Amino acid sequence: MADSAPPEHTTANASGGDSGNPAERPVYVIGGGPGGLAAAYELRKRGIRAVVVEKADRVGTSWRRHYDRLHLHTTRRLSALPGLAMPRRFGRWVARDDVVRYLEKYAEHHDLELVTGVEVSRVERSPDGTGWLLRASGGRELTGAAVVVATGYNHTPSLPDWPGLEDYPGELVHASAYRDGVPYAGRDVLVVGVGNTGAEIAVDLVERGAARVRLAVRTVPHIVRRSTAGWAAQYSGILVRRLPVGLVDRLCRVMAKASVPDLSAHGLPRPDTGLYTRARQGAIPVQDVGLIDAVRAGKVEIVAAVEGFEDGKVVLADGSRVEADAVIAATGYERALEDLVGHLGVLDDQGRPLTHGGRAPKDAPGLYFTGFTTPISGTLRELGLDAERIAKAIRRHLSRPS
């Protein structure tokens, strides 16, 4: 069910303090994306009341903002959340709009308790020390027995502080604002960043008729085939995830040489660091959905990283300057957790949660995080597994004597 305001008993807490029994407080889940919905389902399955608080007016908001051509790089069967399979009609690689439909159906099917249009700005320990206090929009103060933070890995678009950017007269947009390549037909476009988003946008621009497409690369990515002879790359990610990092790096190097052509002549040499080493640092490999062919055909030109802007031109790391009709910055996102929980000492020096899944920070029992890692075994799959771990951990947490 969907509500436009928090449950009545939490609104009462805002004006009169916490007057209820701590054991009867709900668990608040911040974020109505797949991680938050899965956590709410697993909690409800165990008889624990979970309230999902979403700042937008509906679930799956971040998915609705993605570019039109986006499909999951993980298979339909291994991307379903706990308790509800994805329909076979969605195909093997599920489209963005079908992911949104699935998330809407998921919340409805499980009758999850949703509070939409309310943004949580800060999480604090409750005054009596037995739970958590959420400060939210409209002056609301919500008191919960535990909190699950599921605000998402791609929360706030990040744009580098390039020198000269403020004086650049050309069109520059972050990839979060990109929908399709139609407006760029016949134009010279520079895409900055060669993660999965930048790679797919470059291919989309080519297919939509851009006159010239250049892709600015700072760190050469690992590129893998999304599927080889029917074997999805995700399957390999699941099989090797628990193996030693060095061993996986060596296995991936062999697989890459067998399945991915050498693109050194086109500006994309093979990386000198291992795939799994990079993945553990947060840099997931690029799943090929046309980039390899586009680069080999010269339709996507690889150029050096962007260093700044000067005299209406883009300055590259190799000293060259290029002119473009438009610049699309696929430069990633920030988790933006500092204001929400940074004061609790639960983030590392890069703003990432120190714990995730079923482990709560040592000094913050009852506080859990989901969706802030980039596993090679598939994000949606791991969100479902983390949801179960979180629900079990919260059940244990609530059963302890106060």
Side-chain angles (χ1 to χ4, degrees):
M1 76 181 168
D3 301 313
S4 58
E8 291 184 359
H9 81 278
T10 56
T11 304
N13 289 341
S15 59
D18 179 17
S19 59
N21 184 339
E24 297 176 354
R25 295 169 180 160
V27 173
Y28 282 105
V29 180
I30 306 174
L37 298 179
Y41 162 72
E42 290 287 358
L43 286 163
R44 177 165 183 161
K45 187 172 75 171
R46 288 164 176 78
I48 301 169
R49 185 185 177 203
V51 179
V52 179
V53 184
E54 166 58 47
K55 68 178 181 180
D57 61 354
R58 49 192 175 175
V59 301
T61 303
S62 64
W63 282 92
R64 300 173 194 273
R65 294 196 300 258
H66 287 310
Y67 46 91
D68 293 349
R69 73 172 283 136
L70 178 67
H71 285 68
L72 293 180
H73 292 156
T74 52
T75 66
R76 179 193 74 251
R77 186 174 62 84
L78 294 179
S79 298
L81 300 178
L84 184 66
M86 285 189 173
R88 290 179 61 87
R89 69 177 182 277
F90 286 178
R92 192 183 195 197
W93 312 107
V94 182
R96 177 204 62 187
D97 289 348
D98 285 332
V99 173
V100 172
R101 293 186 183 97
Y102 173 74
L103 294 178
E104 292 174 336
K105 181 63 177 179
Y106 191 86
E108 177 187 354
H109 178 79
H110 293 305
D111 195 25
L112 300 181
E113 190 169 353
L114 304 176
V115 175
T116 58
V118 174
E119 182 174 8
V120 178
S121 58
R122 187 176 174 89
V123 176
E124 303 173 353
R125 294 307 302 262
S126 61
D128 63 6
T130 63
W132 293 94
L133 176 67
L134 284 64
R135 300 191 183 278
S137 54
R140 298 175 177 87
E141 294 183 352
L142 316 176
T143 304
V147 174
V148 180
V149 179
T151 50
Y153 193 87
N154 296 336
H155 185 275
T156 302
S158 176
L159 194 65
D161 186 20
W162 284 308
L165 178 59
E166 64 278 3
D167 298 320
Y168 180 63
E171 178 185 347
L172 187 149
V173 297
H174 189 271
S176 59
Y178 181 92
R179 291 296 169 267
D180 63 56
V182 172
Y184 301 95
R187 303 174 70 189
D188 185 327
V189 187
L190 173 65
V191 180
V192 184
V194 68
N196 278 290
T197 296
E200 290 203 34
I201 287 177
V203 172
D204 193 50
L205 289 166
V206 169
E207 293 179 354
R208 294 290 186 169
R212 186 178 188 181
V213 179
R214 284 174 282 196
L215 183 58
V217 176
R218 182 174 299 279
T219 303
V220 178
H222 284 275
I223 302 176
V224 299
R225 300 286 191 184
R226 185 171 66 177
S227 179
T228 303
W231 179 267
Q234 182 187 15
Y235 299 163
S236 297
I238 293 171
L239 290 175
V240 305
R241 192 179 179 203
R242 302 301 179 188
L243 296 177
V245 173
L247 175 59
V248 178
D249 284 346
R250 290 192 294 272
L251 291 172
C252 290
R253 192 173 299 117
V254 172
M255 292 173 61
K257 288 183 178 180
S259 62
V260 177
D262 186 356
L263 301 174
S264 299
H266 303 280
L268 284 178
R270 297 192 189 278
D272 55 9
T273 54
L275 184 151
Y276 201 23
T277 295
R278 289 263 196 96
R280 293 289 290 270
Q281 296 169 350
I284 59 176
V286 171
Q287 302 249 0
D288 178 51
V289 290
L291 180 66
I292 292 174
D293 289 343
V295 169
R296 295 178 78 184
K299 295 179 179 179
V300 172
E301 304 170 44
I302 304 300
V303 299
V306 172
E307 291 294 313
F309 297 81
E310 188 176 286
D311 298 330
K313 297 181 180 179
V314 185
V315 182
L316 303 181
D318 60 4
S320 63
R321 286 166 166 73
V322 300
E323 293 184 73
D325 297 322
V327 177
I328 300 172
T331 47
Y333 295 80
E334 297 175 357
R335 266 50 75 197
L337 292 170
E338 288 79 5
D339 290 342
L340 185 68
V341 296
H343 55 285
L344 298 172
V346 297
L347 305 178
D348 65 15
D349 56 3
Q350 296 184 34
R352 299 172 301 192
L354 292 170
T355 62
H356 74 276
R359 294 186 301 118
K362 180 180 178 181
D363 297 326
L367 179 64
Y368 301 87
F369 295 89
T370 184
F372 297 98
T373 59
T374 54
I376 61 174
S377 49
T379 297
L380 290 174
R381 175 181 182 272
E382 294 300 326
L383 286 176
L385 296 174
D386 274 349
E388 182 179 9
R389 298 183 188 111
I390 289 171
K392 289 179 177 179
I394 289 177
R395 184 173 60 183
R396 290 192 299 268
H397 173 71
L398 297 182
S399 66
R400 295 181 187 126
S402 56

